[in-house]
Structure formats: structure tokens, C-alpha cells
Amino acid sequence: MLYTLTWYLTVQLFALAALPLTLRLFRQLPDRGYAFARPLGILLVALALWYGASFDVLSNQRVTIVALLAALGGISFAVWRREPMTDFLRANRRVIVTTELLFAGALAVWALLRAYSPDIATAGGEKFMEFAFINSILRAENFPPPDPWLSGFAISYYYLGYVMAAMLTKVSGVPASSAFNLLHALLFALTVT
């Protein structure tokens, strides 16, 4: 339960850091893209981390991720100061509350379902491979991360999604085994919203 709350609050940080930017970028939508703040925040920070660590400019560490999150928040704050969106947020309180309740409810429901079947190794499919990639990225200082099966080689697979997963895991401080199941809950909640 504590891990789920920690995970939820971590994802909310990414959403808040990207919210003004999201409302500006998606201003043509009726809700100005409010629900896109979470995935956009996660994606932008992960892309910056991925490129920076791939070119040895940044290292894959918690402090780097927090700095990138703060930089995104700074950009969003500059957008907010240029065009305050407080009136929009007040006028669309119902949409915001509905979106937040949908997200929190979907995250909680799927986290509860995964709590009854948390096993990664016997779940079938590629879950063990996904978990190995996430752990490899958690341990890597730069990218591409080492391949968990082919010693001495880098992962030869598209791994940006796993960078996002590992990034959220590092920032939240949730153990990788619990974070893996919370990632599934997050994907479900993002899809619902």
C-alpha cells in the first residue's frame, strides 16, 4: 500500500512539472490536454535522460533525474508566467477532478489485482525479460545499458520504455520487484485517463 502511494505521488510530480507546458501544447483540445500531463512529463524527462546518458553528458542517477524534472518544472513555470492558466483550471474543476479520480482509481484497482498475482517469473510472456532490462538500466550509469544475457554487449533492443520504468523506479525509491507491478498499474491508469 505504501509503495502504491509513493508511486502515485512520484507520477504526480512528473504531471505537475509538465502541466503548464501540456496545457499550452494541447490548447486546441476541450480539456487542453490535462490528462496528457503525466505521460508528457514522464516522456520528456526520460528522453532528456536517455539522450544525455547516451552521449555521456549525463549519468543515470537519481540526482540527475530530479535535476531534469526540476528543469522541466522551470520551463513549465516560465510558460505559466507568460500565460497564466488559473482561470482555465478553475473553470474546468469538474474535468480535473474526474481525471484525477479516474487515474487514482485505475491505479489502485490494477495495483490491487497485481498484488494477488505479483510473480514475474511464472507470469508467462516476456515479463522476465522486461524485468531484466529494467534492472540492467537501473544499474547502468550510461546508455546503452549492458545486455543482461550477453555479457560484454549492450542491449540491442529498443529500450526507451524501460528507461522510463527505471527512471520512475529510481525517483520513487520503490524496490524494482514492486515497481515492476506498479508499472503495469500505471500503464493501465494512463490508458484509462
Side-chain angles (χ1 to χ4, degrees):
M1 180 68 172
L2 182 61
Y3 289 154
T4 305
L5 180 62
T6 303
W7 192 259
Y8 172 79
L9 293 174
T10 301
V11 173
Q12 289 300 91
L13 282 175
F14 283 84
L16 287 173
L19 183 60
L21 188 60
T22 305
L23 295 177
R24 176 81 175 127
L25 289 174
F26 297 103
R27 66 182 174 273
Q28 302 300 328
L29 295 175
D31 68 345
R32 294 183 73 172
Y34 180 84
F36 292 134
R38 283 181 197 86
L40 185 67
I42 293 168
L43 178 66
L44 290 176
V45 174
L47 276 173
L49 177 67
W50 186 42
Y51 280 119
S54 293
F55 292 110
D56 292 330
V57 176
L58 301 173
S59 61
N60 181 25
Q61 297 178 357
R62 179 184 286 171
V63 68
T64 305
I65 298 166
V66 171
L68 290 171
L69 185 59
L72 176 61
I75 292 167
S76 285
F77 183 71
V79 169
W80 184 278
R81 289 198 54 164
R82 193 173 197 200
E83 181 187 333
M85 298 157 197
T86 312
D87 294 337
F88 167 79
L89 295 174
R90 278 192 204 115
N92 292 287
R93 197 173 301 152
R94 187 174 182 183
V95 170
I96 293 168
V97 169
T98 302
T99 302
E100 292 302 321
L101 289 175
L102 272 173
F103 179 79
L107 184 74
V109 165
W110 204 260
L112 182 64
L113 288 173
R114 287 297 298 164
Y116 283 104
S117 180
D119 195 16
I120 296 167
T122 61
E126 297 182 349
K127 287 187 176 27
F128 63 91
M129 180 199 75
E130 295 168 350
F131 190 56
F133 279 4
I134 290 168
N135 279 311
S136 178
I137 293 167
L138 283 170
R139 290 183 182 98
E141 285 192 31
N142 295 316
F143 298 143
D147 192 310
W149 291 286
L150 194 54
S151 180
F153 291 90
I155 290 177
S156 60
Y157 189 79
Y158 185 73
Y159 58 91
L160 178 61
Y162 301 114
V163 169
M164 289 185 227
M167 176 187 72
L168 289 171
T169 302
K170 277 190 178 200
V171 171
S172 68
V174 172
S177 56
S178 297
F180 183 81
N181 289 316
L182 289 170
L183 286 164
H184 289 262
L186 175 62
L187 181 59
F188 178 72
L190 290 174
T191 303
V192 167
T193 54

